[in-house]
Amino acid sequence: MTDHSRGFSRFPTAPVDVPTTLSGPDPSPDHPGWEPDAGPVEPASFDRGFAGWALGFAIVGLAVSLFVGWGFVIGIVAIVAGIMALRHPRDSRRVAVWAIVLGGVSILYSAGWLLYAWAVLT
């Protein structure tokens, strides 16, 4: 039989003395501790706004306008959504400006396709 009385008393498995330390606020009366702000807290908003949508429409409008002339409608939607995003305070201005610029470029490409088609047909 094995000797179970020596189980955890040897080096690899023996209990180790761990020093204890106090953590937390100082319990002295001079130190009041942490107190939360009394002001109201606004809940987190999950409103992403129009900037991302405007940029998405601008990219799709640019891709469509490279192949067909009727992609200007998507570019117009991108520009309108970009302008709405500029007026919304939580939206990224940089993304909204990119959406407006790419929407304008998509309208220019679409206009080029429409002018080319008009010249070929007449």
Side-chain angles (χ1 to χ4, degrees), residues 86-112:
L86 283 177
R87 304 181 124 234
H88 198 262
R90 290 189 179 173
D91 282 332
S92 171
R93 294 184 61 83
R94 184 177 299 167
V95 173
V97 169
W98 271 106
I100 292 170
V101 169
L102 290 179
V105 171
S106 73
I107 289 174
L108 287 176
Y109 276 123
S110 293

Side-chain angles (χ1 to χ4, degrees), residues 24-77:
D26 186 16
S28 68
D30 296 336
H31 187 342
W34 179 80
E35 293 179 10
D37 291 337
V41 177
E42 292 184 21
S45 174
F46 293 104
D47 182 24
R48 298 288 184 215
F50 291 108
W53 284 102
L55 186 61
F57 276 116
I59 292 171
V60 169
L62 184 59
V64 168
S65 69
L66 292 176
F67 299 105
V68 295
W70 299 106
F72 70 91
V73 176
I74 303 171
I76 291 173
V77 170

